[in-house]
Amino acid sequence: MRCRALLSSLLIATFLIAGCAHKQVDASINDARNDEKISFWAGRISLQIQSEPVQGFFAAFELKGRSDNGELTLISPLGSILGIMRWSPTEATLEQNGSTKRFASTDELLTQTTGAAVPVSALFDWLDGKNTATPGWTADLSQQVNGRIIAKRTSPAPQADLRVVLDK
């Protein structure tokens, strides 16, 4: 529980600290299955969960890959790595403090580490400027062109607020 609170706090701090974020596509990295280019984003992220007590975290982040095969690195304001989340169709892991935890799915990984089920597929679309509908979530992409995304989860309870600011 303390680990989740720390990660949550760090993730929220990262979102709040970050200024701008942007998507970069490395032309030298292609997906072997379908020759799709791998995406890379960096910036700040925050997640606040309206539970009792309120939980939240912020951190700098680096996100690469796709919704089905990717990696999210969370970085403290001082530059140390808080954790690395990796997922693929066959596994989801969290590397933190020299140990690795395994999860049944990406949803379970994110729920256990952040306290909220963040919709990974929709998040990748939102970062790309596509307002993908996701049950329980509403995304505000009006500032996406400026590297800012806000998404709110209203159901299931508790409410969660996700903010992303991409680096330019």
Side-chain angles (χ1 to χ4, degrees):
M1 187 64 131
R2 181 179 171 139
C3 176
R4 181 168 63 181
L6 175 62
L7 273 177
S8 294
S9 295
L10 291 173
L11 183 57
I12 289 174
T14 302
F15 274 117
L16 297 175
I17 295 171
C20 304
H22 66 287
K23 173 184 174 184
Q24 299 174 345
V25 176
D26 185 339
S28 66
I29 303 174
N30 290 317
D31 182 288
R33 292 174 292 160
N34 60 13
D35 202 36
E36 180 181 318
K37 289 185 172 55
I38 303 299
S39 298
F40 176 83
W41 291 273
R44 295 174 314 272
I45 186 168
S46 73
L47 179 65
Q48 186 172 23
I49 303 160
Q50 302 301 321
S51 58
E52 279 298 321
V54 172
Q55 298 178 50
F57 76 98
F58 52 92
F61 75 93
E62 292 179 352
L63 175 63
K64 59 185 169 183
R66 299 182 320 270
S67 62
D68 66 338
N69 192 352
E71 178 179 295
L72 173 63
T73 301
L74 298 175
I75 306 157
S76 78
L78 298 176
S80 61
I81 294 178
L82 301 171
I84 302 172
M85 298 178 204
R86 291 188 178 97
W87 59 90
S88 71
T90 59
E91 72 176 344
T93 62
L94 169 64
E95 290 181 25
Q96 184 180 34
N97 299 325
S99 66
T100 301
K101 290 184 182 180
R102 300 193 185 296
F103 299 88
S105 67
T106 305
D107 286 341
E108 182 184 350
L109 164 68
L110 290 168
T111 300
Q112 292 295 315
T113 56
T114 67
V118 177
V120 175
S121 293
L123 178 59
F124 275 85
D125 285 349
W126 297 338
L127 289 166
D128 260 342
K130 300 174 200 156
N131 199 352
T132 299
T134 303
W137 285 85
T138 303
D140 177 357
L141 303 184
S142 63
Q143 294 297 311
Q144 186 274 342
V145 71
N146 297 319
R148 296 179 183 273
I149 297 168
I150 298 172
K152 295 183 182 286
R153 181 186 75 184
T154 54
S155 70
Q159 180 178 326
D161 298 310
L162 176 69
R163 295 179 182 268
V164 177
V165 178
L166 298 172
D167 295 334
K168 291 210 179 213

